[in-house]
Amino acid sequence: MSKITAAITGINAWLPETVLTNADLEKMVDTTDEWIVSRSCVKERRILKGEGKGTSTIGANAVQGLLKKTNTNPDSIELLICATTTPDMQFPATANVICDMVGLKHAWGFDLNAACSGFLYALTTAARMIESGAIRRAIVVGADKMSSIIDYTDRATCIIFGDGGSAVLLEPNSNGLGIQDCIMYSDGSGKAHLHQKAGGSAMPASKETVEQRLHYVYQEGQAVYKFAVSRMADVGYEILTKNGLTSEDIAWLVPHQANKRIIDATARKMGLPDEKVMINIEKYGNTTNGTIPICLWEWEKKLHKGDNIILCAFGGGFTWGAVWVKWAYE
Ligand code: UT7
């Protein structure tokens, strides 16, 4: 019997309509379009507006569109993992909320938090479930409403992040297509440099935590940059060498969109020219769990059956990893 792999057989993203440009941010904090573009490449990002709207709004819209686009019966979905760092609430899981919103009655699921590497962690988890035969059809969502934890008086962080997400359908494949290999890492000592101080069990919300603005993203940009630039490049290179692949074999690199300089360093180490690298950071900023599947969605028409694609991420935790995918459809 041929080996079963898990293949991405459909993808759909959803981005909120409201656009926050660098010109808008110039009016909110002491910054300039020139500084933002030169340091991060971001020109604009999307913001989810509306009372009561959270990450489930992004995820449910992405999943609804995915089911329609792939003509999939909602009853056939057995698992939904939502990779997010900004769940609607501490519990229940946003995955459960999304299932309810889109009518997935036979799926179980959970949220997975690995910051910006969450989508790769979730994709790996769902793929292993399919490969084992435990599950036939799964949906993996990568979505974040980063604007809910960004301090729009902090010029160092508010310029980078945006809201958005995307969902992929995963199904078994017996022709050798789909997810080929996954390498994942974590290092909890990185917590010092990138975290959200309050709102969890270690420091529950209080009047003081709100007054001290402790519910927002805390990032030591330079320290994170140093780790990100080496770890993401190293893991991208590792997945190539481990599998005997050369840059010639690779059709596309799909990097987490945090900073173009980190992306460039990763592509250089892997020997990949700019034309093989997906970059849309200028339009959406860093959507955390959304970046990689949003890229796949934007480039979907350019992907061909059998294309070797490397997905690479680095994020808070620290967490990082790479996934090698053989694209499964035209
Ligand atoms: O997504 C997961 C993980 N996250 C990342 O991978 C992010 C990694 N880090 C980065 O991408 C970069 O560190 C940033 C884009 C966040 C910042 O770029 P940087 O080149 O590291 O800038 P910096 O934080 O070292 O700041 C340089 C200077 C500082 O001024 P002084 O101290 O040199 O006088 C900042 O105060 O730029 C100042 N600055 C700004 N100036 C204008 C910081 N933010 C701004 C701003 N506009 N928005």
Side-chain angles (χ1 to χ4, degrees):
M1 212 173 81
S2 56
K3 187 175 174 257
I4 296 293
T5 48
I8 296 173
T9 53
I11 184 149
N12 188 57
W14 190 83
L15 290 139
E17 275 175 24
T18 304
V19 176
L20 182 69
T21 65
N22 289 353
D24 297 327
L25 284 168
E26 282 178 352
K27 293 181 207 132
M28 295 159 67
V29 289
D30 181 14
T31 193
T32 60
D33 172 57
E34 196 265 324
W35 191 96
I36 302 171
V37 172
S38 68
R39 299 293 170 124
S40 69
C41 221
V42 186
K43 291 185 178 154
E44 58 186 46
R45 61 294 286 144
R46 302 297 180 91
I47 303 294
L48 179 62
K49 298 272 189 197
E51 208 175 317
K53 291 192 174 169
T55 295
S56 65
T57 306
I58 300 170
N61 276 299
V63 173
Q64 195 88 66
L66 176 69
L67 294 171
K68 197 167 167 216
K69 183 175 166 181
T70 55
N71 201 17
T72 301
N73 177 355
D75 288 344
S76 69
I77 304 295
E78 294 166 277
L79 172 72
L80 184 142
I81 307 178
C82 179
T84 187
T85 308
T86 51
D88 281 16
M89 46 187 79
Q90 291 267 25
F91 74 91
T94 302
N96 304 154
V97 179
I98 294 172
C99 286
D100 182 53
M101 287 168 83
V102 303
L104 300 187
K105 302 288 182 207
H106 298 115
W108 63 284
F110 51 90
D111 289 356
L112 192 155
N113 181 355
C116 299
S117 310
F119 179 76
L120 295 195
Y121 273 45
L123 191 65
T124 302
T125 307
R128 297 302 186 231
M129 299 282 286
I130 287 175
E131 287 162 15
S132 75
I135 295 288
R136 276 192 63 79
R137 270 198 178 142
I139 289 178
V140 178
V141 176
D144 271 297
K145 182 186 172 186
M146 291 307 291
S147 62
S148 64
I149 56 167
I150 292 301
D151 182 351
Y152 285 94
T153 66
D154 174 12
R155 67 178 183 170
T157 51
C158 72
I159 54 140
I160 312 166
F161 293 97
D163 301 341
S166 186
V168 299
L169 180 64
L170 277 184
E171 293 180 283
N173 186 287
S174 47
N175 298 319
L177 299 171
I179 288 146
Q180 308 291 308
D181 193 20
C182 312
I183 304 176
M184 298 294 140
Y185 291 109
S186 76
D187 175 1
S189 67
K191 170 187 142 186
H193 308 295
L194 180 52
H195 57 264
Q196 183 183 351
K197 293 185 189 303
S201 56
M203 197 190 290
S206 68
K207 186 166 163 282
E208 288 73 29
T209 62
V210 173
E211 281 169 0
Q212 290 167 35
R213 310 181 79 78
L214 301 181
H215 294 268
Y216 296 119
V217 169
Y218 171 84
Q219 173 167 264
E220 292 163 8
Q222 293 249 344
V224 178
Y225 181 86
K226 277 187 202 135
F227 277 95
V229 83
S230 61
R231 301 294 190 276
M232 202 162 108
D234 286 350
V235 77
Y237 183 71
E238 184 184 347
I239 204 157
L240 291 189
T241 49
K242 181 183 166 200
N243 291 289
L245 296 165
T246 68
S247 55
E248 316 271 281
D249 300 318
I250 306 305
W252 294 100
L253 169 66
V254 193
H256 170 52
Q257 312 279 309
N259 182 315
K260 184 157 182 305
R261 289 177 288 151
I262 300 172
I263 296 172
D264 289 346
T266 305
R268 263 199 313 276
K269 174 124 190 188
M270 295 171 74
L272 294 169
D274 293 353
E275 311 84 76
K276 289 187 174 184
V277 185
M278 295 186 193
I279 298 181
N280 59 12
I281 190 171
E282 71 283 358
K283 288 193 289 187
Y284 308 125
N286 181 348
T287 54
T288 301
N289 286 278
T291 61
I292 290 175
I294 291 173
C295 276
L296 286 173
W297 167 74
E298 277 212 334
W299 267 260
E300 188 186 23
K301 288 201 168 65
K302 293 187 181 164
L303 304 179
H304 301 294
K305 201 169 172 179
D307 276 357
N308 287 309
I309 302 176
I310 304 290
L311 319 178
C312 257
F314 180 90
F318 293 135
T319 56
W320 65 104
V323 174
W324 168 28
V325 178
K326 261 191 193 296
W327 198 248
Y329 61 95
E330 286 296 329

